[in-house]
Amino acid sequence: AKALTKKRELVAEVTFAPFASDISKPTLLVKLADKALAKFAIRILPVVAEEAFSPARFRPAQSNVRASGRFQSTQGAPLTPTPHYNMSVLEDIDSSSYRAHLRLLHVVQAECQSFAQTCVLLKVWARVNGFSKDAHPDAFHEGLLVLLLAHLLLDRHLNATMSVQQMFRSLMAYVSTTDLAAGKVLRMRPAFQVAPEIHEGFEDSALRGAFAINLVGPCGRLNFSWRVSRTAWAALRAQANSATQILERSSRDGGKDTFSALFTTKVNMWQQFDKYIAIQAPRLELAQDAELSPEVYAEMCDLPWDAFLRRRAEAIFHRAFVESGRATDMRIIVNTDQARSWQPSEAPELGNILVCLRLDLTQAFRQLDKGPGADMPKAAAGFRAFWGDRAELRRFRDGSILETLDWTEDARKGDLLWAIAA
């Protein structure tokens, strides 16, 4: 970056930008001084030579982050696996990188005339529905949709002679009816009529245990979708189901307004959920000084900082709202808009953590929660550890003695849901 900034006759500006919205993996964004090229930018991605590391080092069960201080493993104790960190390095190795798999997309395009045009439609659809990789790091974004389409063609799940409309409709139907979060591992073939291979111990069971969604490239090692969360995949399925319904209606009424509904009408995120709670994202430096358990510290070492925050927030709010029956669905979004680009002398910062809740209106505003009974000490201790001073033991008219949460006063003030979130 420093060397490029000295080339003032060629370079107008040099900044850092995240790779796939991952601020832990900066790339160089170079804007040229030539005014005729002002609309263009050069993105420089770091690539690791294939011979630098053995691919076996990046198996999902392998640990490649060494803890320090009180978090060091005791002598002989196994190290905590770092599957997400391993994938972040593996995708930079030349033979496993996106550049290597770009060649595969050209093979698919040569075999299928509708592939390129369908990819354009998919990218437009993904962006208007909020699944761009620039919007949410954990999204099953437009690039992954293209790879999924290529996989279905290579696997003969889709016919290469399909029209663009047929191919788009079939992909939407596949996404809406397939729950990849249930443990299915998709392996891309290296070419048509060639069976996928398993390399270096990257078996289905290892991938399934490490990642929420698995779309593995033909190298047999790189999981393209290692960043995708379960809630992001669920959100994609919901929108794909909506697209499928629109296409079905269009076949009955002659396709009136179908294109506008699918590709020009932007889905407003603020209309998809019932309740939104914003939390200021803490800085990484603060977390490093906090008192953390070894398990939480290991998770923080494995995940990018935004993914770590999202996972912790998801676990907390899922228990508080979904498991309690107050919400039927939720999504955690870490705002990375402030980290779209930054100067070499600066550090990237995250915005808010946005908790999006789809409420069960029959249960969301109840004023009393009943927990485990006094005869269940382990469950009661967990309940109290989670809710803190809010939890109290009560005897009810039927004789039961239960851990209880009383929200009556908060409901009277009109801030019940905020009180639960706090």
Side-chain angles (χ1 to χ4, degrees):
K2 187 175 181 180
L4 286 170
T5 54
K6 295 179 179 179
K7 304 288 185 179
R8 295 183 179 179
E9 70 281 4
L10 299 175
V11 176
E13 185 183 24
V14 178
T15 57
F16 284 121
F19 176 76
S21 295
D22 184 348
I23 61 174
S24 67
K25 300 189 68 175
T27 64
L28 274 180
L29 194 64
V30 181
K31 294 185 179 180
L32 303 177
D34 190 337
K35 293 183 179 180
L37 302 174
K39 294 182 179 180
F40 300 92
I42 299 172
R43 193 181 297 268
I44 302 176
L45 309 178
V47 177
V48 180
E50 185 173 1
E51 61 273 12
F53 302 105
S54 168
R57 289 189 59 177
F58 303 105
R59 295 192 305 270
Q62 189 78 15
S63 176
N64 284 296
V65 176
R66 297 295 179 264
S68 61
R70 65 187 180 89
F71 296 109
Q72 285 182 319
S73 298
T74 56
Q75 188 68 26
L79 296 171
T80 304
T82 55
H84 297 85
Y85 176 81
N86 297 351
M87 283 294 159
S88 72
V89 178
L90 191 61
E91 71 182 355
D92 291 336
I93 295 178
D94 190 45
S95 63
S96 302
S97 67
Y98 286 89
R99 182 177 68 173
H101 293 102
L102 181 62
R103 302 188 189 100
L104 179 66
L105 298 183
H106 285 284
V107 171
V108 177
Q109 183 182 8
E111 294 284 338
C112 177
Q113 293 183 350
S114 302
F115 179 70
Q117 289 180 303
T118 308
C119 290
V120 172
L121 285 183
L122 282 175
K123 290 182 177 182
V124 174
W125 179 84
R127 289 170 185 171
V128 300
N129 283 276
F131 298 115
S132 169
K133 63 183 176 183
D134 293 329
H136 308 301
D138 68 325
F140 199 94
H141 53 72
E142 60 269 46
L144 292 176
L145 284 169
V146 168
L147 289 169
L148 178 59
L149 177 63
H151 163 72
L152 295 177
L153 285 165
L154 290 165
D155 205 42
R156 300 299 185 185
H157 189 89
L158 299 182
N159 196 314
T161 62
M162 283 181 169
S163 66
V164 174
Q165 183 179 359
Q166 290 172 329
M167 201 169 292
F168 180 84
R169 182 197 294 265
S170 297
L171 182 63
M172 290 294 104
Y174 178 86
V175 171
S176 64
T177 57
T178 306
D179 187 8
L180 295 184
K184 188 178 181 63
V185 177
L186 302 181
R187 290 186 176 273
M188 297 182 69
R189 301 174 188 270
F192 286 96
Q193 304 295 347
V194 178
E197 300 177 6
I198 298 176
H199 299 275
E200 302 292 346
F202 287 59
E203 298 178 350
D204 286 3
S205 57
L207 293 165
R208 193 179 294 118
F211 306 105
I213 309 296
N214 289 282
L215 175 59
V216 184
C219 66
R221 299 184 294 266
L222 179 61
N223 177 16
F224 289 116
S225 56
W226 68 270
R227 291 183 177 88
V228 180
S229 66
R230 284 182 171 82
T231 55
W233 174 253
L236 179 74
R237 291 187 66 198
Q239 290 303 111
N241 183 59
S242 176
T244 300
Q245 292 176 2
I246 291 172
L247 289 168
E248 288 177 352
R249 287 197 299 269
S250 72
S251 63
R252 295 192 295 268
D253 61 17
K256 184 180 180 181
D257 298 329
T258 300
F259 186 89
S260 175
L262 288 175
F263 304 113
T264 63
T265 305
K266 190 171 183 178
V267 174
N268 191 337
M269 184 193 69
W270 301 105
Q271 297 175 346
Q272 292 181 300
F273 295 88
D274 303 308
K275 184 68 176 179
Y276 299 87
I277 301 170
I279 306 168
Q280 179 61 44
R283 295 176 62 89
L284 178 59
E285 294 80 3
L286 297 176
Q288 290 172 334
D289 297 331
E291 290 293 325
L292 303 174
S293 68
E295 293 77 16
V296 173
Y297 182 80
E299 187 178 21
M300 189 174 73
C301 290
D302 179 38
L303 294 166
W305 181 232
D306 64 283
F308 171 78
L309 293 176
R310 183 174 57 251
R311 180 176 289 194
R312 300 306 300 176
E314 190 172 284
I316 292 169
F317 283 91
H318 191 275
R319 179 169 180 177
F321 286 93
V322 179
E323 293 180 19
S324 68
R326 293 182 185 274
T328 59
D329 191 17
M330 62 173 287
R331 178 89 193 275
I332 303 294
I333 297 172
V334 180
N335 185 359
T336 59
D337 287 348
Q338 293 175 233
R340 290 287 176 88
S341 65
W342 62 94
Q343 296 296 325
S345 59
E346 300 174 346
E349 292 188 8
L350 297 175
N352 291 331
I353 301 172
L354 188 64
V355 183
C356 312
L357 299 170
R358 190 168 289 117
L359 301 176
D360 180 346
L361 296 180
T362 64
Q363 297 292 326
F365 300 98
R366 66 174 185 267
Q367 299 177 19
L368 191 69
D369 285 332
K370 295 181 180 179
D375 57 342
M376 304 170 64
K378 188 174 181 180
F383 188 86
R384 283 185 172 273
F386 183 78
W387 290 106
D389 295 338
R390 275 284 184 177
E392 59 181 12
L393 203 60
R394 283 192 183 183
R395 181 188 293 274
F396 292 88
R397 292 181 180 179
D398 61 359
S400 60
I401 303 175
L402 305 174
E403 294 287 348
T404 308
L405 302 171
D406 189 347
W407 307 101
T408 305
E409 184 63 21
D410 302 287
R412 187 184 66 79
K413 295 177 180 178
D415 58 358
L416 188 151
L417 297 180
W418 287 105
I420 296 172

